[in-house]
Structure formats: C-alpha cells, structure tokens
Amino acid sequence: GQQVMQIPQYQHVQEGEDFTTYCNSSTTLSNIQWYKQRPGGHPVFLIQLVKSGEVKKQKRLTFQFGEAKKNSSLHITATQTTDVGTYFCAEAGGRFGAGTRLTVKP
Amino acid sequence: EAQVTQNPRYLITVTGKKLTVTCSQNMNHEYMSWYRQDPGLGLRQIYYSMNVEVTDKGDVPEGYKVSRKEKRNFPLILESPSPNQTSLYFCASSSAWAYEQFFGPGTRLTVL
C-alpha cells in the first residue's frame, strides 16, 4: 500500500481563499516531489524538495519539507480558477500520495 | 519537442485478449515507469526500469509485464487482461531515479 499519506482527499474553495494539502510519511524521505494534474490531463512536475526544513515558493505556491523529512505541504495563496486540479506528492522512486482534488468556485 | 508518447490513447478490449501499450521517450532518459490511476487511489506504480535490460516490480505488478530492450521504449504488456485492470495508465520517464518525472498523455483501458 501507499506509504505517503495525503490529506485532504478533496477541497472545495471560493476563489480567493487559500488552500493547503499535506503529505505524511512514516519513514524519512530522501526527497519529496509535487505534481499537478489538470482535469483530463497528465501529472506535471511542480517542484522537488530535498533538504530538511526547506521552503520554496513559486508565485502563489509555497512548498515546505518538514524538519524530520517525514512531512510536506503545498499552500496556495488566493486561489484562482486556474489552480483547479489534483495535487500529488511523491517520494523518490515514484510512490505517490492519493492526491488532493481542488475545485475553485468563481 | 521533448515528450513521452503512449499508444493507444484509448482501448476497449475483452477479457483474456493480450494487449500491449507502447511508451516512448525522446529525452534519452534512463529511468522509465508505468503507473495506473484509479479514483481515490492516486497513482500506483506497476513496474519501473532504471536502465536498459533492468526492470523491477512496483507496488501493483500482478497481471502485467514490461520489457526494456531499448532506452527509449518501455512497453506494458497485459498477457490476459481482466476487468479489474480497467484503468487509466501513465508512462513516465526521468533522467535518473528520484529526478523529475515526465508523464505521457495516458491510456484509458477498458476490459470487458
């Protein structure tokens, strides 16, 4: 089974609200990757985190890797309709979380 | 254009009829993998290949075979498909293990 747990499974927000998805592992991760899959599309790589406590930003997206390298989060500030999709975390070697499906109401 | 291609994109077949889904990448990537995506389960790895002639089982390999005779190609073979293999399949490649993966467009398979 999956060793990377991701929550929530679904998130519906009003446009302009913030959104966060979390990934947790029972074991220490060498790295964590985040992907976005638009409806009807394929997963597209967003970012990779490697260092303990690492924080990276891409415009309105903030990615964090926990100090113990067992958890990670993706935070979107002021969501837009273009943010709609499913966000996946993945550990090295290709084990993915179940994903968080984000819908945004205009 | 750098890309991963899969064929066919859609396939409806019947139980027991052998089929192959092709995957090809033009980025000279060493690592390739196959995933299936089912509602609520995310992406589950079927098989992966670290390099030519090197393949390993992922989390859900039962009922599937793969081969890696050339660096660019990584076909997925279902010798005797069953309805529980109805799913959306993605091929992916990366320059090496644990690096950014590039995904193909997906193959939607229905087994009746």
Side-chain angles (χ1 to χ4, degrees):
Chain A
Q2 287 173 324
Q3 295 183 359
V4 179
M5 303 303 295
Q6 189 172 356
I7 57 170
Q9 190 173 359
Y10 302 97
Q11 186 79 60
H12 178 72
V13 300
Q14 191 79 32
E15 189 173 22
E17 294 181 338
D18 292 356
F19 160 76
T20 305
T21 174
Y22 302 90
C23 273
N24 294 287
S25 171
S26 57
T27 58
T28 302
L29 303 168
S30 57
N31 67 29
I32 192 96
Q33 297 173 345
W34 286 93
Y35 293 80
K36 176 183 179 181
Q37 183 179 23
R38 294 182 186 275
H42 59 274
V44 175
F45 176 83
L46 294 175
I47 209 160
Q48 177 167 287
L49 305 174
V50 179
K51 299 177 183 177
S52 168
E54 189 170 14
V55 178
K56 288 188 176 180
K57 293 189 176 183
Q58 291 179 349
K59 298 182 180 179
R60 294 179 293 102
L61 278 61
T62 302
F63 304 85
Q64 295 190 41
F65 202 9
E67 293 290 341
K69 300 182 74 172
K70 288 186 175 182
N71 58 78
S72 181
S73 65
L74 158 59
H75 180 81
I76 302 178
T77 303
T79 54
Q80 300 175 357
T81 54
T82 54
D83 295 324
V84 165
T86 301
Y87 294 85
F88 293 98
C89 61
E91 60 171 322
R95 185 160 286 157
F96 280 70
T100 297
R101 183 178 173 186
L102 172 66
T103 55
V104 179
K105 184 176 181 181
Chain B
E1 179 189 356
Q3 60 182 348
V4 178
T5 57
Q6 294 179 229
N7 283 290
R9 294 288 314 278
Y10 303 89
L11 179 60
I12 301 174
T13 189
V14 295
T15 299
K17 186 176 182 181
K18 181 180 179 179
L19 66 92
T20 299
V21 183
T22 64
C23 173
S24 183
Q25 50 93 5
N26 62 0
M27 296 170 278
N28 200 37
H29 284 170
E30 292 192 347
Y31 183 89
M32 297 186 74
S33 59
W34 275 103
Y35 296 87
R36 60 177 289 172
Q37 185 173 25
D38 302 288
L41 298 176
L43 292 153
R44 293 181 292 166
Q45 193 175 53
I46 303 170
Y47 270 95
Y48 63 94
S49 170
M50 301 282 265
N51 213 327
V52 176
E53 300 293 0
V54 180
T55 62
D56 281 297
K57 296 178 180 179
D59 291 323
V60 288
E62 294 77 21
Y64 305 95
K65 286 176 57 178
V66 293
S67 68
R68 187 92 182 274
K69 297 177 182 176
E70 307 166 284
K71 198 170 189 178
R72 63 183 294 129
N73 296 322
F74 190 43
L76 178 69
I77 303 156
L78 284 72
E79 295 270 4
S80 184
S82 61
N84 64 13
Q85 293 178 298
T86 292
S87 187
L88 178 58
Y89 291 87
F90 288 102
C91 179
S93 73
S94 61
S95 56
W97 180 84
Y99 279 51
E100 166 189 359
Q101 291 195 73
F102 294 82
F103 282 80
T107 296
R108 186 165 292 281
L109 172 66
T110 301
V111 182
L112 302 175

